[in-house]
Amino acid sequence: MTTTGAGRPRLKTRTRPGATARDEILDAAAELFTTRGFTGTSTRMIADAVGIRQASMYHHFATKDDILAALLLDTVTAPLACAEALERDCRDPVVRLYALTLFDAAQLAESRWNLGALYLLPEVTTDRFAEFRSLRIELMALYTEFALEAIAVIGDPDVGPEAASLPFRLVEATINARSDAAVDRSDAPAQAPAPDLVADSVLRVLGRSGPATEVRAVARAELDRLTGSCPQPRR
Amino acid sequence: MTTTGAGRPRLKTRTRPGATARDEILDAAAELFTTRGFTGTSTRMIADAVGIRQASMYHHFATKDDILAALLLDTVTAPLACAEALERDCRDPVVRLYALTLFDAAQLAESRWNLGALYLLPEVTTDRFAEFRSLRIELMALYTEFALEAIAVIGDPDVGPEAASLPFRLVEATINARSDAAVDRSDAPAQAPAPDLVADSVLRVLGRSGPATEVRAVARAELDRLTGSCPQPRR
């Protein structure tokens, strides 16, 4: 204990984004979890990557699970707040769904680490992550609700309510596309689809055809207007 | 060695599907990997789940990675053979893409274990799984090729070539929906979308509107005709 330089606040200068040590820990853990795997990452490796001692890290997070829980929560709280704001303030079902899709697809495409790739971890099925899972299900339910209303407004006789589950899936496909792009850079046709394309496709799947230009402009304006209630996602 | 009953061929009677011990090992490993995680599963646990000794298992697979590689290959070889047969024998781009989607979405939805949930494992980015990744990218490329041809035939002026990446993503969304359904059974709106719905949506995303009834019937007939060249996926 005394040989490792107790008293020094950190072992190296700050190199990670984040205003606080907590943010730096989250950033280092996000990198390690998404590149080396959750099981393959130790709390020691996270502390080393930040340049702090393990004891300092335990001041912020008692366990590795707590770090993962915080990271996963971060991926759903912003889109959920956005969905709730849109539910409250935006009356056009098509614009509302388009705006949510744009916001969520953009945060999944542009976040520094592809944390959605951790959603399928078996660890995430345990009680420790019940809060994350329940918020993600809330988000999924809002997508479905918005989609059902959009289907009703669009009125395509060939599109039934079962299509309402697809917008959420199209948005989360961004995660898989990013994973593929990260692995096989050279010859992969894979890259994350642009948020506009995802949002256009969401409306098509629900039976709307023709250009989405106007809906897109209104949805963007709506998102700008809601900036206060829609917190910007962590980058 | 001699105390564990050497000479007895297996420790319990066969309880898993599969004509051979190899198939039983794959089935047990698939269950454990998808429910307890790859890192959380030992070769000992797999042998125990089959009711054979570890030494017998090593006769079929030298390492846990070899078992995972075999399982992952199984998820892409059947749809890839189907795609190649359709490329060879089916001249209608819309029918071809619809048929591939139906086949692949059905195998992902109906396979005994949701092995696609392992695609995002960090382990799968290593050289050991290069063959699997390259076959999956081949499949992805065929989807993109089929989709580009379908976009050209459909001719919607609002759909550009960038939409060609989406059909593959819509099909793989089946994996995520199954994962969600398995975890939060009670209140989850999540379940795997029906293959027909996925295939209908693939055409919509590429700009085709109206009922897909006729395309679906032709695509099914095409798949029946190709049964010889399209091996049935492992259930």
Side-chain angles (χ1 to χ4, degrees):
Chain A
M1 291 289 274
T2 53
T3 57
T4 56
R8 267 194 312 171
R10 49 174 54 232
L11 307 177
K12 60 179 190 188
T13 54
R14 186 168 290 189
T15 54
R16 295 192 167 264
T20 64
R22 185 177 187 278
D23 287 342
E24 286 184 276
I25 293 167
L26 288 174
D27 183 69
E31 175 172 12
L32 289 163
F33 292 166
T34 52
T35 54
R36 305 185 50 109
F38 180 68
T39 329
T41 299
S42 64
T43 51
R44 171 64 181 268
M45 288 160 65
I46 300 169
D48 285 351
V50 179
I52 59 176
R53 282 182 298 280
Q54 267 186 289
S56 311
M57 201 175 67
Y58 291 136
H59 176 70
H60 299 280
F61 297 100
T63 67
K64 198 171 70 162
D65 277 3
D66 289 348
I67 302 178
L68 179 59
L71 287 170
L72 292 177
L73 279 175
D74 269 354
T75 66
V76 286
T77 46
L80 192 54
C82 180
E84 284 163 353
L86 287 164
E87 188 179 39
R88 215 170 31 237
D89 294 341
C90 174
R91 296 268 57 90
D92 182 325
V94 171
V95 169
R96 186 154 68 176
L97 179 62
Y98 196 98
L100 174 58
T101 301
L102 265 191
F103 179 88
D104 201 7
Q107 67 119 9
L108 289 174
E110 293 157 22
S111 62
R112 205 162 122 81
W113 308 107
N114 190 21
L115 288 162
L118 306 172
Y119 288 174
L120 299 186
L121 280 177
E123 285 83 354
V124 176
T125 64
T126 60
D127 279 352
R128 177 64 188 86
F129 302 96
E131 186 190 359
F132 157 71
R133 289 203 312 277
S134 116
L135 291 180
R136 183 160 162 272
I137 285 180
E138 243 177 82
L139 178 61
M140 195 191 294
L142 283 167
Y143 266 100
T144 307
E145 182 193 312
F146 289 11
L148 284 170
E149 287 167 358
I151 289 170
V153 169
I154 294 168
D156 184 326
D158 297 309
V159 174
E162 67 282 359
S165 69
L166 296 172
F168 181 75
R169 299 297 164 193
L170 267 166
V171 172
E172 286 206 342
T174 300
I175 296 164
N176 301 55
R178 275 189 76 177
S179 281
D180 289 337
V183 177
D184 289 285
R185 274 195 198 86
S186 52
D187 55 348
Q191 57 176 3
D196 282 1
L197 172 62
V198 177
D200 288 8
S201 303
V202 156
L203 295 191
R204 292 189 175 281
V205 159
L206 304 187
R208 190 179 185 281
S209 47
T213 330
E214 203 178 318
V215 174
R216 189 184 305 148
V218 180
R220 282 201 180 131
E222 199 72 13
L223 285 176
D224 286 344
R225 195 171 66 78
L226 293 175
T227 301
S229 26
C230 263
Q232 283 311 296
R234 183 181 301 274
R235 288 278 173 246
Chain B
M1 291 287 273
T2 52
T3 58
T4 55
R8 266 194 312 170
R10 48 174 55 231
L11 307 176
K12 60 179 188 185
T13 53
R14 187 168 289 189
T15 54
R16 296 195 166 263
T20 64
R22 186 176 187 279
D23 286 343
E24 286 185 276
I25 293 167
L26 289 173
D27 183 69
E31 175 172 13
L32 289 164
F33 292 166
T34 52
T35 54
R36 306 184 52 109
F38 179 67
T39 328
T41 298
S42 64
T43 50
R44 172 63 183 267
M45 288 160 65
I46 300 169
D48 285 352
V50 180
I52 58 175
R53 281 181 300 279
Q54 266 185 288
S56 313
M57 201 175 67
Y58 291 137
H59 176 70
H60 299 279
F61 297 99
T63 68
K64 199 172 68 161
D65 276 3
D66 290 348
I67 302 178
L68 179 59
L71 286 170
L72 292 177
L73 279 176
D74 269 354
T75 67
V76 285
T77 46
L80 192 54
C82 180
E84 285 164 351
L86 286 165
E87 189 179 38
R88 213 168 34 235
D89 293 341
C90 174
R91 296 269 58 89
D92 182 324
V94 171
V95 169
R96 187 154 67 176
L97 179 61
Y98 196 98
L100 174 58
T101 302
L102 266 190
F103 179 87
D104 201 7
Q107 67 119 9
L108 289 174
E110 293 156 23
S111 62
R112 205 162 122 82
W113 308 107
N114 189 21
L115 288 163
L118 306 173
Y119 288 174
L120 299 185
L121 280 177
E123 286 83 355
V124 177
T125 64
T126 59
D127 280 350
R128 177 63 189 86
F129 302 96
E131 186 190 359
F132 157 70
R133 290 203 311 277
S134 117
L135 291 181
R136 182 160 164 273
I137 285 181
E138 241 177 82
L139 178 62
M140 196 191 293
L142 282 168
Y143 266 100
T144 307
E145 181 194 313
F146 289 11
L148 284 170
E149 286 168 359
I151 289 171
V153 167
I154 293 167
D156 184 326
D158 297 310
V159 173
E162 66 283 359
S165 68
L166 296 171
F168 182 75
R169 299 297 165 193
L170 267 166
V171 171
E172 286 205 343
T174 300
I175 296 164
N176 301 56
R178 275 189 76 178
S179 281
D180 288 338
V183 177
D184 289 284
R185 275 197 197 84
S186 52
D187 54 348
Q191 59 177 2
D196 282 1
L197 173 62
V198 177
D200 288 7
S201 303
V202 157
L203 296 191
R204 291 188 175 281
V205 159
L206 304 187
R208 189 179 187 282
S209 48
T213 330
E214 203 177 318
V215 174
R216 188 185 305 146
V218 180
R220 282 202 181 132
E222 199 72 13
L223 285 176
D224 286 344
R225 194 170 67 78
L226 293 175
T227 301
S229 27
C230 263
Q232 282 311 295
R234 186 182 297 275
R235 289 279 172 246

Coordinates of all heavy atoms in Angstrom, one line a residue, chain A residues 151 155-164 204-208, chain B residues 204:
Chain A
I151 N -49.2 4.2 -37.5 CA -49.8 3.2 -38.4 C -51.3 3.7 -38.7 O -51.8 3.7 -39.8 CB -49.8 1.8 -37.9 CG1 -48.4 1.2 -37.9 CG2 -50.7 0.9 -38.6 CD1 -48.1 -0.1 -37.2
G155 N -52.5 4.8 -42.3 CA -53.7 4.1 -42.9 C -53.4 3.2 -44.1 O -54.3 3.0 -44.9
D156 N -52.3 2.6 -44.2 CA -52.0 1.6 -45.2 C -52.7 0.3 -44.9 O -52.4 -0.3 -43.8 CB -50.5 1.4 -45.4 CG -50.1 0.5 -46.5 OD1 -50.9 -0.5 -46.8 OD2 -49.1 0.7 -47.1
P157 N -53.7 -0.1 -45.7 CA -54.4 -1.3 -45.4 C -53.6 -2.6 -45.3 O -54.0 -3.6 -44.7 CB -55.5 -1.4 -46.6 CG -54.8 -0.7 -47.7 CD -54.0 0.4 -47.1
D158 N -52.4 -2.6 -45.9 CA -51.5 -3.7 -45.9 C -50.6 -3.8 -44.7 O -49.8 -4.7 -44.5 CB -50.7 -3.8 -47.1 CG -51.6 -4.0 -48.4 OD1 -52.5 -4.9 -48.3 OD2 -51.5 -3.2 -49.3
V159 N -50.7 -2.8 -43.8 CA -49.8 -2.8 -42.6 C -50.6 -2.9 -41.3 O -51.5 -2.1 -41.0 CB -49.0 -1.4 -42.5 CG1 -48.2 -1.4 -41.2 CG2 -48.0 -1.3 -43.7
G160 N -50.4 -4.0 -40.6 CA -51.1 -4.3 -39.4 C -50.4 -3.8 -38.2 O -49.2 -3.4 -38.3
P161 N -51.0 -3.9 -37.0 CA -50.3 -3.5 -35.8 C -49.1 -4.2 -35.4 O -48.2 -3.7 -34.7 CB -51.4 -3.7 -34.7 CG -52.4 -4.7 -35.3 CD -52.3 -4.5 -36.8
E162 N -48.9 -5.4 -36.0 CA -47.7 -6.2 -35.7 C -46.4 -5.5 -36.2 O -45.3 -5.8 -35.7 CB -47.8 -7.7 -36.2 CG -47.8 -7.8 -37.7 CD -49.1 -7.5 -38.3 OE1 -50.1 -7.2 -37.6 OE2 -49.2 -7.5 -39.6
A163 N -46.6 -4.6 -37.1 CA -45.4 -3.9 -37.7 C -44.9 -2.9 -36.6 O -43.8 -2.4 -36.8 CB -45.7 -3.2 -39.0
A164 N -45.7 -2.6 -35.6 CA -45.3 -1.6 -34.6 C -44.0 -2.0 -33.8 O -43.4 -1.1 -33.2 CB -46.4 -1.3 -33.7
R204 N -41.4 4.0 -43.7 CA -41.7 3.1 -44.8 C -42.3 1.8 -44.3 O -43.3 1.2 -44.9 CB -40.5 2.8 -45.7 CG -40.0 4.0 -46.5 CD -38.9 3.7 -47.5 NE -38.7 4.9 -48.2 CZ -39.4 5.3 -49.2 NH1 -40.5 4.6 -49.6 NH2 -39.1 6.4 -49.8
V205 N -41.6 1.3 -43.3 CA -42.1 0.0 -42.7 C -43.5 0.1 -42.2 O -44.3 -0.9 -42.2 CB -41.1 -0.4 -41.6 CG1 -41.7 -1.4 -40.7 CG2 -39.8 -1.0 -42.2
L206 N -43.9 1.3 -41.8 CA -45.3 1.5 -41.3 C -46.2 1.9 -42.4 O -47.4 2.2 -42.2 CB -45.3 2.5 -40.2 CG -44.3 2.2 -39.0 CD1 -44.5 3.2 -37.9 CD2 -44.5 0.8 -38.5
G207 N -45.8 1.9 -43.7 CA -46.7 2.0 -44.8 C -46.6 3.4 -45.5 O -47.4 3.7 -46.4
R208 N -45.8 4.3 -44.9 CA -45.8 5.6 -45.6 C -44.8 5.6 -46.7 O -43.6 5.2 -46.6 CB -45.3 6.7 -44.5 CG -45.4 8.1 -45.0 CD -45.0 9.1 -43.9 NE -45.2 10.5 -44.2 CZ -44.4 11.2 -45.1 NH1 -43.4 10.6 -45.6 NH2 -44.7 12.4 -45.3
Chain B
R204 N -40.8 -3.1 -48.2 CA -41.2 -1.7 -47.9 C -40.1 -0.7 -47.8 O -40.1 0.4 -48.3 CB -42.1 -1.6 -46.6 CG -43.4 -2.3 -46.8 CD -44.3 -2.1 -45.6 NE -45.5 -2.8 -45.9 CZ -46.4 -2.2 -46.7 NH1 -46.3 -1.0 -47.2 NH2 -47.5 -2.9 -46.9

